[in-house]
Amino acid sequence: MSYRKKLTVKFFPGEKIIEVPKDYNLKQAILESGLDIESTCGGVGTCGRCKVQVKSGHVYAKGNKFISDDEKKKGFVLSCQSKIKENIVVLIPEKTKAKGKIEKGKFEIGKGKLYSGINTDELAAAEIKPWIIKEKITVEKPTLDSNTNDLYRLEKSIRNNFKLENISFPISVIRKLPYTLRDNNWEIVIILDKITNTLVNIQSVNKEKKIFGFAIDIGTTTLVIYLVDLTTGEVIGTASEYNPQIKFGEDIISRIVYTLKNDGLKRLRDVLLDLINKMVLALLKSSNIDEEDVVSMMVAGNSTMMHIFYGVPPRFIREVPYVTVTNKFPGTSAPELDLKYIKNAAVYSIEGVASYLGGDISSGVLATNMAKRKEITLFLDLGTNGELVVGNCDWMVGCSCSAGPAFEGGGVKCGIRAVDGAIEKVVIDQNTYKCFFKTIGQGKPVGICGSGLIDLISEMFLRGVIDRRGKFEKGIKNPFLKYTEDEYIYVVAEAGESGTGKDIFISEVDIDNLMRAKAAVYAGIKTLLEEVDLNIKDIDKVYIAGGLGKNINVQSAIIIGMLPDINIKKYYFLGNTSVTGAYLCLLSEHKYKLAEEIANNITYIELSVNMKFMDRYVAGLFLPYTDLKDFPNVESLFYSY
Amino acid sequence: MSYRKKLTVKFFPGEKIIEVPKDYNLKQAILESGLDIESTCGGVGTCGRCKVQVKSGHVYAKGNKFISDDEKKKGFVLSCQSKIKENIVVLIPEKTKAKGKIEKGKFEIGKGKLYSGINTDELAAAEIKPWIIKEKITVEKPTLDSNTNDLYRLEKSIRNNFKLENISFPISVIRKLPYTLRDNNWEIVIILDKITNTLVNIQSVNKEKKIFGFAIDIGTTTLVIYLVDLTTGEVIGTASEYNPQIKFGEDIISRIVYTLKNDGLKRLRDVLLDLINKMVLALLKSSNIDEEDVVSMMVAGNSTMMHIFYGVPPRFIREVPYVTVTNKFPGTSAPELDLKYIKNAAVYSIEGVASYLGGDISSGVLATNMAKRKEITLFLDLGTNGELVVGNCDWMVGCSCSAGPAFEGGGVKCGIRAVDGAIEKVVIDQNTYKCFFKTIGQGKPVGICGSGLIDLISEMFLRGVIDRRGKFEKGIKNPFLKYTEDEYIYVVAEAGESGTGKDIFISEVDIDNLMRAKAAVYAGIKTLLEEVDLNIKDIDKVYIAGGLGKNINVQSAIIIGMLPDINIKKYYFLGNTSVTGAYLCLLSEHKYKLAEEIANNITYIELSVNMKFMDRYVAGLFLPYTDLKDFPNVESLFYSY
């Protein structure tokens, strides 16, 4: 018989104690205790974020570059690289705790804002042609001379009123049919899903004739939910929250890797469903809506998020030849997917294009209406991943460039997401090289978010702090350039003025990561255009969607060579187009079918095996780009300094 | 705050103790303690079977005719009529304990007998055209050049191999698709339901290419299940057991009444599902079949049983104008119906005709093949209820005559079901009036079952023990006729020779109940024939099915005027045709469709409001019948004595 001794692990702050077997992974133990810690790499020891201090007891920790000799002496280890050998006491430093996490159950709940974007003129018009209908219906009462059964009579009435045949009647509806008919004197309200030809529910007539649905975008980083009145199109409430899967890995790839662990898929799914359930409940409560009246949910998300949402292994998305299990998940019911509180709701999701071009992109393209226009549009969804579609009403091509999470704070030591205290705008004084910045919420800076990083690189480049390769100019008299811990760093905010009490800086390694990310985006755009024999000049409009896109300074993004150097007036910010598309589909069968058409009409270009992409990518590792002819305005700007 | 004191109830034998609130119904308490007691009326105080003795403590008991003054003094009460007022100790007499109950988990499990009846030539031939197919299929492996998703490739392969389009893929199958494909090198086994166009399951190729299904008849009294090999039609195993709902009421009406109680429907459904699950498990275990390979279940039963099985309130079946909620329940999955162990199985049921002519009758008619023949057939299903169908390939009419449970032991003091010790054959000595009898299992008699009661009435009538009205002839010297407890009884077996140590007898009230039952059956036959302008003489064949039919002496049944007085060679006993029909439907889509056609083609005659039926019924309260012309052979027999 195997007997595994249980060891106790005590965490500070909080004094949480859990028991684990010997040799248990320390990061796993932390997650199981319910504590959230930072982690970008999914537990493979490459991000260095899950640093903790073992105050007493022994752990076996693999050596790594993130722990200095001094720290090692003090008991610091990377928790993901450590095995628990004895009873231990662990201190989780403030820095290591998960950031940007809103407390459980406290979602940002908005009221009635239709659409999420800025230039709403650019978005497709909403049309209310709900395919789930709620109607009053009279059923003929049986008599001794005409005593056919209840269901037959209801069927006949639906046939006569709506010309619908072969309707499916779920057993749950049949169970309540006899009393609903008789308690309401044979006049009831029916809720019919015209896509699946299913009687979703029946109700008393005295119920208000309202039906509601949820539109939801499951992003790698953020979840957004709209609660929608399906009869008016009004957005009754919105809620957003970080994707709780972040603690298991920051990007798509680390999530997929996590699903390979025992129970990994279940864990990722459980935390996701748990949050969705909580958000749904919060929205229903805050708007006083009866869960009985929620008839549908429309889900958009990238392919990996959709796989996890439906409980389907996403493993083969990241293995050659990169296939999904399906791009189109079947219509199902809320209870079948473990969704609580909305037991009458049918759940649909928007069809994706490919492994790395998911339903969030079909949804976004639908929202922009570009598939209905003659103009050539470049659609960029800049979130944790960068996805691009170019085209018009006649053709569309799309691709995904694994930009990586650099712009969302991953792989950049002082990088954070766009939360309070994040530096979002930066200007550098040409004479003193001092940075002036603006933080989100106007408080003391605690890190730099994506738009701040783009501004910073752009400014460093323009002011000569870095050269075209992204290396620090050491010949200039820059008092903010320091050498520390084996590398040069440029201090953006000094310890004294920061909210962390430490310097906020950028290092050459950080810049390298950001260069790679911006190079990937631009190489994606170039490759896609070349596939259809077009040039940057041919682009009529650029739509930027996604979390990163929200606050980006386009000028800075052009200067660093991330976005094409075209007239800035051609750029439009549309915010979260994925949830907007889901909202449109929720309201109209026609739009839902259109999203499906879009998914089928986009030609997917796989970049991971595309040699042209590799060339453009390498060319993009310069500021703004190897060939300056692509960036005429930047070139002139460059030489004007 | 309401505070309800808990009282303790202790039961003997067994020393079981449970806690209940004050004023709790004693019978309810007995059932909740897990003890089974006899009850025919469903707890309304009219059958007198749930008699128990309160040994200490006070209960409030309504007065009734079943408890003598002497018994009252000893603490006897009808448990269903008693409220618990104090802590009590209750003795459950041997007589009150539920009889004929096989111990839990010990079902009668048979092996490989095809069909249940005797004259199998009269039954429809089985054909194996399974509409749930299990086939090996090769899916094209994806490459970088052809990297469409798994589901798309599978769909394409199914389309090419089986010419099937628009298949539904349940999320549970999609979840296992990626690994099943890759673990089996893209060659897998698919299980497809061609009726619903659904991919039921996918499996590894190394699995044996077998699929199995369950055919089940849910009778008011008995459950019968067949486990069937769908590729060969072989019945791998059978199991039968009393319907555990009996403890809540013996006949359909008392079951419906029970569903009106709080949680009543749930209780009836729970005990039923619990038994089905146990029987399914026992059959799977005894035959070593993998539950993964069970793909379907076909259910037959009367309308009330079907409502309860599906969890649909049957209340309005017994209220004017007597309508079901539906006669055709939708196809569903085993887990949706709380069926365990067969999670891949699709569940179908056979369509019924009307409230009192259910799917068991459509199934039976299918099994007899009468709907395909020119001959005019009378089909009688004699179970707890009596259902009749007359017709041929051109037309069919059917009705139900509420014969009541008299022939199954209800309303007859010494009546019991056909269990060990039941008197099943009776002959009366003309000179001494002594009864000679045969019991089931050849042991000492403990009661009289249906066939014995029919024999007994017939013999009593032929030997002059009773007159044509069913009243005892008091003028003859009959030493077995006794006057006791306010009524005359005729002793069939004396206390000394019986297994109970008491007389086994029949009273005038008993005879009255039996007369009513037999009159109802014959009146049903007459009315049905008259509806189509036919006469008894026009009947070519009589098929008798059902639990009661099994051991019946046709001659006796003719003599008492229950069955038509036609050539005895026209009678055929087919046993449980309901399960046979379900078995046929399980094997063939064509037969399943045929059963549906049969259900739709039978014209239902409602007898409860039919004046002709009432006339025939009253005429049937004589032996054999008021008008002897209907019974020429009995008449001659009668005058020969």
Side-chain angles (χ1 to χ4, degrees), chain A residues 90-102:
Chain A
V90 175
L91 178 77
I92 299 173
E94 201 55 38
K95 194 184 165 177
T96 304
K97 282 189 201 154
K99 281 165 198 69
K101 193 87 189 78
I102 297 173

Side-chain angles (χ1 to χ4, degrees), chain A residues 19-45:
Chain A
E19 287 202 329
V20 296
K22 201 179 167 192
D23 285 331
Y24 206 70
N25 181 284
L26 178 53
K27 186 186 168 203
Q28 206 57 46
I30 295 171
L31 292 179
E32 277 168 25
S33 77
L35 298 166
D36 281 345
I37 56 166
E38 286 277 314
S39 166
T40 315
C41 66
V44 294

